[in-house]
Amino acid sequence: MDVMRETYEQQLREYLRRCREARPIPTRETLSPLEEAQYWILGGHLIQWLQDWGPGLLQQRAVLEQMFAREVTQPLICFRTSMPGLVAAQQILGEEHPRVVYGLHEEFERFPIKDELFRHHVELLSFFEPGDAARFGSKLVSKYPLREGEQYWFHYDETVLGNLFARGCRHLWKWDGKQLTLLEEAFERWIS
């Protein structure tokens, strides 16, 4: 189903408003210590993307649109994150931002209107997921052994600007019960 940009944005914003009514964003004070640590990292990542990385990527997208004789658009930036990321986004962007919407990663998955050609939107995915040591092999495990009570965490970071126009990586972090420590930046990365 091909929809107009305004319709897509309006319906997505309304959908995300309903999601927030059903599952409000908690206050920062109610975050667990782990969520608080993730809040700082995800918020810093969002700011860095909006100020430094995103503008250059959006310029590249505009050049490609011109090259393929497509209308150059100002896409809606969809920040797909976790609850600590939503707390940070709300503090950084306010309740509503003219160019950016934010929601939980799974909420965007359930949004019924698909913009599969990325005509109207781009995506910034940034969230933490528990690190499965078996998933990334013995080399990293031996390089970064854990002590009793410590856990690996992955920061998943991906920007999708169109079909076959994405880049992303995973950063390896360690949680010791008090703080997140970056062990290796972009230990996995991809580009298309």
Side-chain angles (χ1 to χ4, degrees):
M1 173 165 87
D2 193 23
V3 296
M4 299 296 292
R5 161 84 161 73
E6 297 79 21
T7 303
Y8 176 82
E9 180 175 345
Q10 179 185 33
Q11 291 189 8
L12 178 56
R13 286 183 184 276
E14 180 56 35
Y15 167 78
L16 291 172
R17 270 192 284 279
R18 288 192 310 270
C19 290
R20 293 293 61 83
E21 288 171 4
R23 189 172 179 191
I25 298 174
T27 63
R28 187 172 148 216
E29 296 75 33
T30 62
L31 297 178
S32 70
L34 174 59
E35 291 170 327
E36 173 78 12
Q38 292 175 359
Y39 156 88
W40 284 104
I41 294 162
L42 295 171
H45 182 246
L46 175 60
I47 291 169
Q48 190 84 42
W49 194 94
L50 291 171
Q51 292 179 350
D52 297 333
W53 305 317
L57 291 169
L58 291 169
Q59 285 178 331
Q60 289 176 31
R61 175 190 155 102
V63 168
L64 288 172
E65 287 177 323
Q66 286 180 324
M67 285 175 51
F68 292 107
R70 285 180 39 187
E71 178 187 351
V72 177
T73 62
Q74 291 289 326
L76 182 66
I77 300 165
C78 298
F79 182 50
R80 298 172 62 152
T81 190
S82 58
M83 198 54 81
L86 288 187
V87 175
Q90 184 178 49
Q91 190 165 25
I92 294 164
L93 302 170
E95 292 296 323
E96 190 161 313
H97 189 276
R99 290 278 322 273
V100 184
V101 294
Y102 50 89
L104 295 172
H105 178 61
E106 60 270 16
E107 291 168 345
F108 282 99
E109 290 294 317
R110 291 191 301 263
F111 182 55
I113 300 171
K114 302 300 177 198
D115 178 27
E116 293 164 345
L117 298 177
F118 292 87
R119 287 188 176 120
H120 310 308
H121 83 292
V122 297
E123 297 175 351
L124 170 60
L125 293 85
S126 182
F127 54 86
F128 277 87
E129 53 193 2
D132 178 5
R135 182 169 170 265
F136 58 84
S138 60
K139 186 176 179 183
L140 280 178
V141 172
S142 62
K143 189 174 179 180
Y144 305 109
L146 294 179
R147 294 186 184 129
E148 181 75 27
E150 294 180 334
Q151 301 171 313
Y152 294 116
W153 281 84
F154 298 141
H155 174 202
Y156 184 90
D157 166 12
E158 183 174 37
T159 300
V160 183
L161 295 123
N163 289 340
L164 300 177
F165 186 9
R167 54 199 62 187
C169 60
R170 276 193 177 83
H171 311 289
L172 180 61
W173 293 79
K174 174 180 72 173
W175 173 249
D176 66 5
K178 294 181 182 166
Q179 67 179 8
L180 276 169
T181 303
L182 180 62
L183 298 177
E184 189 162 327
E185 190 172 3
F187 80 92
E188 280 184 340
R189 59 189 102 164
W190 54 92
I191 189 166
S192 67

